[in-house]
PDB file of all heavy atoms in Angstrom:
ATOM      1  N   LEU A  42      -6.096 -11.076 -13.303  1.00 96.00           N
ATOM      2  CA  LEU A  42      -6.622 -10.178 -12.279  1.00 96.00           C
ATOM      3  C   LEU A  42      -7.590  -9.185 -12.894  1.00 96.00           C
ATOM      4  O   LEU A  42      -7.704  -9.096 -14.112  1.00 96.00           O
ATOM      5  CB  LEU A  42      -5.470  -9.467 -11.562  1.00 96.00           C
ATOM      6  CG  LEU A  42      -4.262  -8.975 -12.354  1.00 96.00           C
ATOM      7  CD1 LEU A  42      -4.579  -7.697 -13.097  1.00 96.00           C
ATOM      8  CD2 LEU A  42      -3.094  -8.742 -11.421  1.00 96.00           C
ATOM      9  N   CYS A  43      -8.294  -8.456 -12.038  1.00 97.00           N
ATOM     10  CA  CYS A  43      -9.178  -7.395 -12.530  1.00 97.00           C
ATOM     11  C   CYS A  43      -8.282  -6.263 -13.022  1.00 97.00           C
ATOM     12  O   CYS A  43      -7.467  -5.752 -12.254  1.00 97.00           O
ATOM     13  CB  CYS A  43     -10.106  -6.894 -11.428  1.00 97.00           C
ATOM     14  SG  CYS A  43     -11.028  -5.417 -11.914  1.00 97.00           S
ATOM     15  N   HIS A  44      -8.419  -5.901 -14.286  1.00 96.00           N
ATOM     16  CA  HIS A  44      -7.495  -4.903 -14.843  1.00 96.00           C
ATOM     17  C   HIS A  44      -7.735  -3.516 -14.257  1.00 96.00           C
ATOM     18  O   HIS A  44      -6.922  -2.618 -14.424  1.00 96.00           O
ATOM     19  CB  HIS A  44      -7.557  -4.892 -16.376  1.00 96.00           C
ATOM     20  CG  HIS A  44      -8.899  -4.535 -16.912  1.00 96.00           C
ATOM     21  ND1 HIS A  44      -9.217  -3.281 -17.342  1.00 96.00           N
ATOM     22  CD2 HIS A  44     -10.032  -5.271 -17.047  1.00 96.00           C
ATOM     23  CE1 HIS A  44     -10.485  -3.259 -17.727  1.00 96.00           C
ATOM     24  NE2 HIS A  44     -10.993  -4.467 -17.562  1.00 96.00           N
ATOM     25  N   LEU A  45      -8.851  -3.334 -13.539  1.00 98.00           N
ATOM     26  CA  LEU A  45      -9.092  -2.052 -12.867  1.00 98.00           C
ATOM     27  C   LEU A  45      -8.537  -2.073 -11.437  1.00 98.00           C
ATOM     28  O   LEU A  45      -7.557  -1.407 -11.135  1.00 98.00           O
ATOM     29  CB  LEU A  45     -10.585  -1.712 -12.853  1.00 98.00           C
ATOM     30  CG  LEU A  45     -11.229  -1.463 -14.227  1.00 98.00           C
ATOM     31  CD1 LEU A  45     -12.704  -1.139 -14.075  1.00 98.00           C
ATOM     32  CD2 LEU A  45     -10.531  -0.312 -14.944  1.00 98.00           C
ATOM     33  N   CYS A  46      -9.129  -2.871 -10.568  1.00 98.00           N
ATOM     34  CA  CYS A  46      -8.740  -2.804  -9.155  1.00 98.00           C
ATOM     35  C   CYS A  46      -7.601  -3.762  -8.801  1.00 98.00           C
ATOM     36  O   CYS A  46      -7.057  -3.699  -7.697  1.00 98.00           O
ATOM     37  CB  CYS A  46      -9.938  -3.080  -8.258  1.00 98.00           C
ATOM     38  SG  CYS A  46     -10.452  -4.810  -8.216  1.00 98.00           S
ATOM     39  N   GLY A  47      -7.240  -4.669  -9.703  1.00 97.00           N
ATOM     40  CA  GLY A  47      -6.108  -5.559  -9.442  1.00 97.00           C
ATOM     41  C   GLY A  47      -6.437  -6.785  -8.616  1.00 97.00           C
ATOM     42  O   GLY A  47      -5.532  -7.537  -8.230  1.00 97.00           O
ATOM     43  N   ARG A  48      -7.713  -7.003  -8.356  1.00 95.00           N
ATOM     44  CA  ARG A  48      -8.127  -8.193  -7.594  1.00 95.00           C
ATOM     45  C   ARG A  48      -7.681  -9.460  -8.328  1.00 95.00           C
ATOM     46  O   ARG A  48      -7.978  -9.632  -9.507  1.00 95.00           O
ATOM     47  CB  ARG A  48      -9.648  -8.175  -7.474  1.00 95.00           C
ATOM     48  CG  ARG A  48     -10.282  -9.420  -6.842  1.00 95.00           C
ATOM     49  CD  ARG A  48     -11.796  -9.386  -7.052  1.00 95.00           C
ATOM     50  NE  ARG A  48     -12.352  -8.132  -6.563  1.00 95.00           N
ATOM     51  CZ  ARG A  48     -12.824  -7.966  -5.323  1.00 95.00           C
ATOM     52  NH1 ARG A  48     -12.851  -8.964  -4.489  1.00 95.00           N
ATOM     53  NH2 ARG A  48     -13.292  -6.795  -4.945  1.00 95.00           N
ATOM     54  N   PHE A  50      -7.807 -13.230  -9.561  1.00 92.00           N
ATOM     55  CA  PHE A  50      -8.856 -14.243  -9.731  1.00 92.00           C
ATOM     56  C   PHE A  50      -8.300 -15.620  -9.405  1.00 92.00           C
ATOM     57  O   PHE A  50      -7.185 -15.948  -9.804  1.00 92.00           O
ATOM     58  CB  PHE A  50      -9.403 -14.207 -11.156  1.00 92.00           C
ATOM     59  CG  PHE A  50     -10.093 -12.932 -11.510  1.00 92.00           C
ATOM     60  CD1 PHE A  50      -9.642 -12.155 -12.574  1.00 92.00           C
ATOM     61  CD2 PHE A  50     -11.175 -12.483 -10.770  1.00 92.00           C
ATOM     62  CE1 PHE A  50     -10.272 -10.963 -12.899  1.00 92.00           C
ATOM     63  CE2 PHE A  50     -11.813 -11.287 -11.087  1.00 92.00           C
ATOM     64  CZ  PHE A  50     -11.353 -10.528 -12.151  1.00 92.00           C
ATOM     65  N   HIS A  58      -9.866  -9.514 -16.573  1.00 95.00           N
ATOM     66  CA  HIS A  58     -11.143  -8.914 -16.939  1.00 95.00           C
ATOM     67  C   HIS A  58     -11.616  -8.018 -15.788  1.00 95.00           C
ATOM     68  O   HIS A  58     -10.913  -7.889 -14.785  1.00 95.00           O
ATOM     69  CB  HIS A  58     -12.182  -9.986 -17.281  1.00 95.00           C
ATOM     70  CG  HIS A  58     -12.392 -11.011 -16.190  1.00 95.00           C
ATOM     71  ND1 HIS A  58     -11.591 -12.121 -16.056  1.00 95.00           N
ATOM     72  CD2 HIS A  58     -13.297 -11.090 -15.197  1.00 95.00           C
ATOM     73  CE1 HIS A  58     -12.017 -12.852 -15.034  1.00 95.00           C
ATOM     74  NE2 HIS A  58     -13.041 -12.234 -14.476  1.00 95.00           N
ATOM     75  N   THR A  59     -12.778  -7.410 -15.952  1.00 96.00           N
ATOM     76  CA  THR A  59     -13.298  -6.522 -14.914  1.00 96.00           C
ATOM     77  C   THR A  59     -14.050  -7.352 -13.877  1.00 96.00           C
ATOM     78  O   THR A  59     -14.901  -8.154 -14.238  1.00 96.00           O
ATOM     79  CB  THR A  59     -14.250  -5.473 -15.532  1.00 96.00           C
ATOM     80  OG1 THR A  59     -13.569  -4.855 -16.631  1.00 96.00           O
ATOM     81  CG2 THR A  59     -14.613  -4.400 -14.525  1.00 96.00           C
ATOM     82  N   CYS A  60     -13.741  -7.148 -12.616  1.00 95.00           N
ATOM     83  CA  CYS A  60     -14.405  -7.924 -11.560  1.00 95.00           C
ATOM     84  C   CYS A  60     -15.811  -7.372 -11.301  1.00 95.00           C
ATOM     85  O   CYS A  60     -16.148  -6.268 -11.732  1.00 95.00           O
ATOM     86  CB  CYS A  60     -13.577  -7.914 -10.280  1.00 95.00           C
ATOM     87  SG  CYS A  60     -13.678  -6.394  -9.325  1.00 95.00           S
ATOM     88  N   GLY A  61     -16.605  -8.143 -10.597  1.00 94.00           N
ATOM     89  CA  GLY A  61     -17.983  -7.773 -10.319  1.00 94.00           C
ATOM     90  C   GLY A  61     -18.104  -6.464  -9.550  1.00 94.00           C
ATOM     91  O   GLY A  61     -19.005  -5.663  -9.808  1.00 94.00           O
ATOM     92  N   VAL A  62     -17.174  -6.252  -8.633  1.00 94.00           N
ATOM     93  CA  VAL A  62     -17.215  -5.035  -7.811  1.00 94.00           C
ATOM     94  C   VAL A  62     -17.004  -3.800  -8.687  1.00 94.00           C
ATOM     95  O   VAL A  62     -17.737  -2.812  -8.588  1.00 94.00           O
ATOM     96  CB  VAL A  62     -16.131  -5.098  -6.697  1.00 94.00           C
ATOM     97  CG1 VAL A  62     -16.099  -3.800  -5.895  1.00 94.00           C
ATOM     98  CG2 VAL A  62     -16.392  -6.285  -5.773  1.00 94.00           C
ATOM     99  N   CYS A  63     -16.017  -3.866  -9.579  1.00 97.00           N
ATOM    100  CA  CYS A  63     -15.730  -2.727 -10.458  1.00 97.00           C
ATOM    101  C   CYS A  63     -16.826  -2.534 -11.500  1.00 97.00           C
ATOM    102  O   CYS A  63     -17.080  -1.413 -11.948  1.00 97.00           O
ATOM    103  CB  CYS A  63     -14.375  -2.906 -11.139  1.00 97.00           C
ATOM    104  SG  CYS A  63     -12.990  -2.772  -9.992  1.00 97.00           S
ATOM    105  N   LEU A  64     -17.476  -3.646 -11.909  1.00 97.00           N
ATOM    106  CA  LEU A  64     -18.578  -3.544 -12.862  1.00 97.00           C
ATOM    107  C   LEU A  64     -19.752  -2.804 -12.247  1.00 97.00           C
ATOM    108  O   LEU A  64     -20.392  -1.982 -12.895  1.00 97.00           O
ATOM    109  CB  LEU A  64     -19.034  -4.937 -13.297  1.00 97.00           C
ATOM    110  CG  LEU A  64     -18.291  -5.594 -14.453  1.00 97.00           C
ATOM    111  CD1 LEU A  64     -18.826  -6.992 -14.700  1.00 97.00           C
ATOM    112  CD2 LEU A  64     -18.394  -4.754 -15.731  1.00 97.00           C
ATOM    113  N   ARG A  66     -19.579  -0.698  -9.678  1.00 94.00           N
ATOM    114  CA  ARG A  66     -19.197   0.655  -9.280  1.00 94.00           C
ATOM    115  C   ARG A  66     -17.784   0.921  -9.792  1.00 94.00           C
ATOM    116  O   ARG A  66     -16.809   0.456  -9.195  1.00 94.00           O
ATOM    117  CB  ARG A  66     -19.241   0.769  -7.758  1.00 94.00           C
ATOM    118  CG  ARG A  66     -18.951   2.149  -7.220  1.00 94.00           C
ATOM    119  CD  ARG A  66     -18.882   2.104  -5.709  1.00 94.00           C
ATOM    120  NE  ARG A  66     -20.200   1.845  -5.129  1.00 94.00           N
ATOM    121  CZ  ARG A  66     -21.018   2.817  -4.681  1.00 94.00           C
ATOM    122  NH1 ARG A  66     -20.638   4.063  -4.728  1.00 94.00           N
ATOM    123  NH2 ARG A  66     -22.182   2.521  -4.166  1.00 94.00           N
ATOM    124  N   PRO A  68     -14.274   2.351 -10.324  1.00 98.00           N
ATOM    125  CA  PRO A  68     -13.410   3.136  -9.438  1.00 98.00           C
ATOM    126  C   PRO A  68     -13.014   4.488 -10.048  1.00 98.00           C
ATOM    127  O   PRO A  68     -13.092   4.672 -11.259  1.00 98.00           O
ATOM    128  CB  PRO A  68     -12.182   2.240  -9.252  1.00 98.00           C
ATOM    129  CG  PRO A  68     -12.210   1.255 -10.370  1.00 98.00           C
ATOM    130  CD  PRO A  68     -13.632   1.126 -10.800  1.00 98.00           C
ATOM    131  N   PHE A  70     -10.013   5.663  -9.901  1.00 98.00           N
ATOM    132  CA  PHE A  70      -8.654   5.541 -10.437  1.00 98.00           C
ATOM    133  C   PHE A  70      -8.658   4.698 -11.707  1.00 98.00           C
ATOM    134  O   PHE A  70      -9.628   3.973 -11.981  1.00 98.00           O
ATOM    135  CB  PHE A  70      -7.724   4.938  -9.381  1.00 98.00           C
ATOM    136  CG  PHE A  70      -8.266   3.705  -8.694  1.00 98.00           C
ATOM    137  CD1 PHE A  70      -8.214   2.466  -9.314  1.00 98.00           C
ATOM    138  CD2 PHE A  70      -8.843   3.798  -7.428  1.00 98.00           C
ATOM    139  CE1 PHE A  70      -8.723   1.337  -8.693  1.00 98.00           C
ATOM    140  CE2 PHE A  70      -9.360   2.670  -6.792  1.00 98.00           C
ATOM    141  CZ  PHE A  70      -9.297   1.430  -7.427  1.00 98.00           C
ATOM    142  N   TYR A 211      -4.521  -2.481   0.432  1.00 96.00           N
ATOM    143  CA  TYR A 211      -5.770  -2.255  -0.281  1.00 96.00           C
ATOM    144  C   TYR A 211      -6.767  -3.282   0.224  1.00 96.00           C
ATOM    145  O   TYR A 211      -6.535  -4.481   0.091  1.00 96.00           O
ATOM    146  CB  TYR A 211      -5.533  -2.446  -1.777  1.00 96.00           C
ATOM    147  CG  TYR A 211      -6.706  -2.131  -2.694  1.00 96.00           C
ATOM    148  CD1 TYR A 211      -6.629  -1.069  -3.585  1.00 96.00           C
ATOM    149  CD2 TYR A 211      -7.848  -2.914  -2.704  1.00 96.00           C
ATOM    150  CE1 TYR A 211      -7.683  -0.780  -4.458  1.00 96.00           C
ATOM    151  CE2 TYR A 211      -8.906  -2.631  -3.561  1.00 96.00           C
ATOM    152  CZ  TYR A 211      -8.810  -1.568  -4.439  1.00 96.00           C
ATOM    153  OH  TYR A 211      -9.854  -1.290  -5.292  1.00 96.00           O
ATOM    154  N   ARG A 239      -2.589  -6.635  -0.521  1.00 96.00           N
ATOM    155  CA  ARG A 239      -4.006  -6.611  -0.839  1.00 96.00           C
ATOM    156  C   ARG A 239      -4.674  -7.653   0.036  1.00 96.00           C
ATOM    157  O   ARG A 239      -4.262  -8.814   0.050  1.00 96.00           O
ATOM    158  CB  ARG A 239      -4.184  -6.957  -2.318  1.00 96.00           C
ATOM    159  CG  ARG A 239      -5.588  -7.268  -2.687  1.00 96.00           C
ATOM    160  CD  ARG A 239      -6.049  -6.473  -3.860  1.00 96.00           C
ATOM    161  NE  ARG A 239      -7.493  -6.538  -3.920  1.00 96.00           N
ATOM    162  CZ  ARG A 239      -8.218  -5.805  -4.739  1.00 96.00           C
ATOM    163  NH1 ARG A 239      -7.648  -4.946  -5.523  1.00 96.00           N
ATOM    164  NH2 ARG A 239      -9.525  -5.917  -4.742  1.00 96.00           N
TER     165      ARG A 239
HETATM  166 ZN1   ZN B   2     -12.030  -4.911  -9.895  1.00 55.78          ZN
END
Side-chain angles (χ1 to χ4, degrees):
L42 40 77
C43 171
H44 61 99
L45 295 180
C46 74
R48 174 192 306 268
F50 296 121
H58 55 275
T59 309
C60 77
V62 176
C63 291
L64 274 177
R66 184 186 291 264
F70 48 79
Y211 185 114
R239 167 128 196 171

